[in-house]
Amino acid sequence: MSTVPVRLTVNGQQHEVEVEPRLLLVHLLRDNLALTGTHVGCDTTNCGACTVHLDGDAVKSCTVLAVQADGEKLHPLPEAFWNDHGLQ
């Protein structure tokens, strides 16, 4: 699968990583950046253990694609899932 560049600032430190477009932000933080303070609690978006601040808003990082943290435009299909809180 192809990867895309993602640039983001976490705790004041800038990072640039290549990720698969389907990677969730929680996994980018934990697995790619080794920031294990963000937890995966329920896998259903109910618990909030993965909550992080993204551009001033509290978001559940298990529902945000890593590419969204970079501001990259999504294809209309995943954008519709995101806008309507759809699960696959």
Side-chain angles (χ1 to χ4, degrees), residues 57-85:
D57 293 322
V59 298
K60 294 178 183 175
S61 60
C62 70
T63 64
V64 177
L65 296 172
V67 296
Q68 290 175 287
D70 185 47
E72 181 170 321
K73 294 291 184 189
L74 292 177
H75 182 274
L77 182 60
E79 183 71 25
F81 273 95
W82 170 256
N83 290 335
D84 295 320
H85 308 288

Side-chain angles (χ1 to χ4, degrees), residues 10-11 25-26 29-30 35-42 45-54 56-64:
V10 181
N11 299 331
L25 180 58
V26 68
L29 295 171
R30 290 184 60 80
L35 299 171
T36 57
T38 302
H39 298 281
V40 178
C42 65
T45 74
N46 289 321
C47 73
C50 66
T51 302
V52 297
H53 284 262
L54 178 63
D57 293 322
V59 298
K60 294 178 183 175
S61 60
C62 70
T63 64
V64 177

Side-chain angles (χ1 to χ4, degrees), residues 9-39:
T9 302
V10 181
N11 299 331
Q13 185 176 359
Q14 291 187 349
H15 300 272
E16 186 169 339
V17 294
E18 291 280 332
V19 300
E20 291 185 3
R22 64 184 179 169
L23 184 72
L24 293 172
L25 180 58
V26 68
H27 297 299
L28 169 67
L29 295 171
R30 290 184 60 80
D31 303 335
N32 295 60
L33 302 182
L35 299 171
T36 57
T38 302
H39 298 281

